[in-house]
Amino acid sequence: MTETKKPGPDSRPRLRRQPQQARSRARVEAILGAADRLLSQEGYEALTMRRVAEEAGVPVGSIYQFYPDKGAVVDALGRRYLEAFASAIEELVARAVAGELTDLVGTVVDVYGELFRSQPGGMALWAGRHLSPELARADEASNALIADGLRRIVEHLTGAPGGERARRATRMVVWAANAVLHEVFKGDGEPDLETVDELKRMLDGYWEDLRGRLATDEG
């Protein structure tokens, strides 16, 4: 129940070369930050290498030193989003093991809702599904990782292995929560936080039902 998991799907971007010096790392950060802003404000079609260079305040040639094409920039950005989701579930597992996760559903929804809210470029990318095959596979792996983390939390909180019932249930929770949170945070305006509250109510009911069924299985 407390085994250590590897931190997420393979997050290595298709870099031409790895930035070694602080100046190069800062430039890569500026490039990815510019790409995120363009995705969120102007959409995928506006994301050209020249526009990224203008937004980042760097020569366009410097982008090609690290990324061979627009697709590589998008992949790097997408993998960064997924890394944040993978790190979040590991932190939640640790909190559960430490006895600090007293409101499972509310905490999980709030943590992931904040990640959705803070990644407008990611929302634009996933809404348009402008994903390479590699990034699409990484997305699937990320969802599987989150579901597995939730399974570990459920097993810890219930004190018993959940088996296939817990695995199926946590996959369903990830699918349902993803769909709702994407809808809530995909727009440019203020998110509908009442819908987030409804999601919590829905998942609270499911969690109580699941706990009862897992207790019956044990009995």
Side-chain angles (χ1 to χ4, degrees):
M1 282 182 282
T2 61
E3 70 269 24
T4 300
K5 296 289 182 178
K6 294 177 69 175
D10 183 4
S11 58
R12 292 170 294 180
R14 292 188 288 124
L15 283 168
R16 275 185 161 150
R17 67 181 179 88
Q18 291 288 342
Q20 301 297 328
Q21 300 179 343
R23 182 178 179 183
S24 295
R25 291 194 295 271
R27 180 156 289 183
V28 166
E29 289 295 319
I31 291 167
L32 294 181
D36 180 76
R37 290 191 297 276
L38 285 171
L39 273 172
S40 64
Q41 296 170 7
E42 301 182 33
Y44 181 81
E45 297 306 322
L47 193 71
T48 66
M49 299 295 256
R50 187 168 298 280
R51 286 287 288 113
V52 171
E54 292 173 356
E55 180 71 19
V58 301
V60 69
S62 68
I63 300 181
Y64 286 106
Q65 292 177 8
F66 300 103
Y67 300 104
D69 51 36
K70 168 181 173 175
V73 174
V74 170
D75 271 13
L77 199 56
R79 289 172 187 274
R80 172 172 291 193
Y81 300 140
L82 296 180
E83 286 175 9
F85 280 76
S87 295
I89 193 62
E90 290 304 315
E91 291 177 8
L92 287 166
V93 171
R95 290 174 64 181
V97 171
E100 299 172 356
L101 204 59
T102 56
D103 178 9
L104 172 61
V105 169
T107 302
V108 170
V109 172
D110 285 344
V111 165
Y112 279 95
E114 176 58 23
L115 284 173
F116 275 75
R117 186 202 63 77
S118 65
Q119 298 178 351
M123 293 304 95
L125 179 60
W126 260 262
R129 302 304 295 182
H130 299 293
L131 308 180
S132 68
E134 294 81 9
L135 190 55
R137 286 193 293 270
D139 184 30
E140 292 177 3
S142 176
N143 287 337
L145 187 78
I146 294 168
D148 187 65
L150 288 176
R151 176 193 59 78
R152 291 154 62 198
I153 292 172
V154 166
E155 291 184 353
H156 180 81
L157 294 179
T158 59
E164 184 56 33
R165 187 188 297 278
R167 282 189 286 272
R168 183 182 300 110
T170 52
R171 287 197 303 267
M172 289 180 60
V173 166
V174 170
W175 294 337
N178 262 344
V180 173
L181 293 175
H182 272 290
E183 283 297 315
V184 170
F185 292 101
K186 71 179 181 180
D188 295 330
E190 287 297 313
D192 180 6
L193 297 182
E194 290 186 7
T195 297
V196 177
D197 289 339
E198 291 300 315
L199 173 64
K200 291 178 182 179
R201 292 188 184 96
M202 181 180 75
L203 294 181
D204 267 327
Y206 189 60
W207 168 229
E208 289 302 318
D209 177 73
L210 177 62
R211 279 203 298 194
R213 288 185 289 153
L214 292 177
T216 300
D217 289 346
E218 282 299 299

